[in-house]
Amino acid sequence: MDIKKQLKALEEEYKQKIKEVLSLEELQKVKSTLLGKKGKITSFLKQLKSLTPEQKKEFGKAINEVKNLFEDLIKEKETELKEKALEEKLKKSQIDITLPAEWTEAGAPHPTTYTLKYITDIFVSMGFSIEEGPEVELEEYNFDMLNIPKDHPARDMQDTFFINKEGYVLRTHTSPVQIRTMLKKKPPLAVVAPGKVYRKDLDPTHSPMFHQIEGLFVDKNVSFRDLKGILKIFLETVFGKDIPIRFRPSYFPFTEPSAEVDIGCTVCKGKGCRVCKGTGWLEILGCGMVDPNVFKAVGINPEEFSGFAFGLGIERIAMLKFQIPDIRLLFNNDMRFNLQFKGL
Ligand code: 2NL
């Protein structure tokens, strides 16, 4: 038997096989087939025993050369497969630490958000607590219990968003939150209800969704001067200690008496300009003493308790505070506008 021929055949066969190996497991099998204790190289070495010293030397050298070749080829293949496996793993991994970070500009609070929080905080500092409620509201809480009769123009399709569910509306003010509060808590009460409200309105000073904050104060012997005192502190905090304030008689179905509160125009200092339409005054909020019919609707005895309430639009205050000429700027989300409020 020609050992050299067999050795050459083995070399050719396994050079090719090692080249074609696809996994480390497969390579391990090939390795033990060739170099293991019962491997092909070992069996070649066993054949040497029966040979002469010269033949042993000659064939031993040839076998060792093939053995070294296999060892080198297997080592090479192992390195290649390990590198490939690592590459695959990195490719699959979620985090690629070599990717440069994406640039994001630092944000700014939206002026409406800022103003809502700013105003809410003033009332919280005076001991009012914050109440919230749903934006899809019972018609009964939004209108009936607030002494707004069925034929009142505010209920008209022109002002209210009715939804596909009988008896529900998108709340047109946050007053129903105060109704809910009075239904679940007994006086004394001092609460503010900030949030989104909806009315079918759209022009430079009206948006179909806007923000409101309402206040409600109920206790024994609450009078109109308590209302004036609280609102004076509020307005002087927002617009400064010297701001002129006036109360004008008005009408709301849920308060009696009712008043509208104006401040001296912050733009022209009362001289008369475009913003105050020449009057020297800016309308800021509506208020009044809670109507006895509202108290009766929520089960509070109007002979025992009295209270005041007020409501104001947040966008209007933000527009005055930041001299914003068109309400739509507060809703467009144009970043050139929004980013001007950094650092408030
Ligand atoms: C305005 C005027 C106002 C109220 C809201 C109120 C709520 C209850 C009872 C009585 Cl539960 N009143 N809220 C009272 C007066 C005026 O808002 O011009 N808002 C933008």
Side-chain angles (χ1 to χ4, degrees):
M1 205 186 290
D2 189 339
I3 294 184
K4 279 207 166 167
K5 248 189 186 162
Q6 286 179 21
L7 206 51
K8 194 74 204 158
L10 184 74
E11 181 185 328
E12 290 308 319
E13 184 189 351
Y14 275 86
K15 257 159 90 176
Q16 190 59 30
K17 278 202 171 141
I18 293 168
K19 212 190 242 177
E20 287 167 0
V21 160
L22 290 172
S23 71
L24 285 164
E25 295 82 9
E26 206 184 321
L27 186 67
Q28 190 54 46
K29 271 185 202 152
V30 172
K31 188 176 173 181
S32 67
T33 308
L34 290 175
L35 307 170
K37 268 190 189 140
K38 289 176 183 167
K40 293 189 188 289
I41 293 293
T42 315
S43 69
F44 268 105
L45 289 171
K46 275 178 188 160
Q47 288 180 50
L48 291 179
K49 279 181 198 156
S50 55
L51 302 177
T52 65
E54 286 84 55
Q55 284 175 317
K56 269 186 191 161
K57 203 177 168 192
E58 190 193 344
F59 292 129
K61 192 170 170 253
I63 295 168
N64 260 328
E65 273 171 15
V66 176
K67 186 181 171 224
N68 288 339
L69 176 71
F70 283 157
E71 279 173 351
D72 288 349
L73 288 176
I74 287 169
K75 191 86 212 140
E76 224 170 79
K77 192 71 187 178
E78 192 182 331
T79 309
E80 182 196 316
L81 287 171
K82 278 186 177 162
E83 268 170 16
K84 221 167 113 190
L86 182 66
E87 213 171 281
E88 299 266 303
K89 200 176 147 194
L90 284 177
K91 233 188 246 170
K92 271 192 212 146
S93 152
Q94 294 288 328
I95 303 157
D96 178 358
I97 55 163
T98 68
L99 198 67
E102 231 174 86
W103 175 256
T104 41
E105 178 143 28
H110 192 278
T112 306
T113 312
Y114 171 84
T115 306
L116 187 64
K117 182 164 183 348
Y118 172 72
I119 291 174
T120 304
D121 284 351
I122 294 171
F123 287 105
V124 168
S125 80
M126 292 192 276
F128 286 73
S129 52
I130 302 167
E131 288 287 341
E132 287 177 307
E135 290 168 29
V136 176
E137 184 55 278
L138 282 165
E139 218 176 321
E140 199 188 352
Y141 289 181
N142 192 82
F143 293 128
D144 302 73
M145 291 173 90
L146 284 157
N147 198 36
I148 303 170
K150 291 263 186 271
D151 58 359
H152 196 278
R155 287 204 182 200
D156 204 292
M157 297 297 285
Q158 304 220 313
D159 301 307
T160 306
F161 286 107
F162 288 85
I163 64 164
N164 271 347
K165 195 171 157 89
E166 180 71 27
Y168 287 85
V169 296
L170 291 186
R171 68 182 183 194
T172 58
H173 43 198
T174 56
S175 315
V177 179
Q178 322 277 29
I179 294 293
R180 288 168 178 274
T181 305
M182 289 189 282
L183 286 171
K184 78 180 180 220
K185 290 179 185 169
K186 285 190 186 340
L189 288 172
V191 295
V192 281
K196 290 183 169 67
V197 299
Y198 301 84
R199 290 183 196 176
K200 260 179 107 180
D201 249 341
L202 184 60
D203 64 46
T205 57
H206 294 88
S207 157
M209 184 280 281
F210 62 103
H211 297 77
Q212 211 187 29
I213 185 165
E214 275 202 23
L216 174 73
F217 190 98
V218 185
D219 201 353
K220 286 174 179 163
N221 303 311
V222 176
S223 72
F224 203 90
R225 65 180 182 171
D226 297 313
L227 169 61
K228 288 187 84 168
I230 289 287
L231 292 181
K232 187 173 185 311
I233 292 170
F234 165 66
L235 292 170
E236 287 178 354
T237 307
V238 178
F239 297 102
K241 198 96 193 81
D242 298 320
I243 194 77
I245 301 169
R246 77 174 182 187
F247 283 69
R248 255 184 309 115
S250 186
Y251 171 79
F252 299 109
F254 28 84
T255 45
E256 181 61 34
S258 305
E260 229 133 350
V261 181
D262 301 339
I263 58 166
C265 181
T266 51
V267 177
C268 64
K269 309 290 169 216
K271 286 189 186 72
C273 66
R274 233 163 25 100
V275 177
C276 60
K277 299 191 185 87
T279 64
W281 293 95
L282 296 169
E283 204 179 300
I284 291 295
L285 58 87
C287 62
M289 302 307 292
V290 178
D291 193 290
N293 286 338
V294 176
F295 279 143
K296 281 180 207 156
V298 296
I300 291 174
N301 181 1
E303 304 294 333
E304 190 185 355
F305 292 100
S306 56
F308 64 78
F310 55 88
L312 62 148
I314 300 301
E315 280 81 357
R316 180 164 170 76
I317 307 289
M319 286 170 76
L320 286 172
K321 197 171 162 61
F322 299 114
Q323 298 178 20
I324 298 164
D326 188 322
I327 198 170
R328 285 168 288 198
L329 287 163
L330 291 169
F331 292 92
N332 286 345
N333 260 334
D334 184 330
M335 292 311 273
R336 291 170 302 178
F337 172 81
N338 290 0
L339 290 172
Q340 288 176 42
F341 299 91
K342 272 186 190 174
L344 282 180

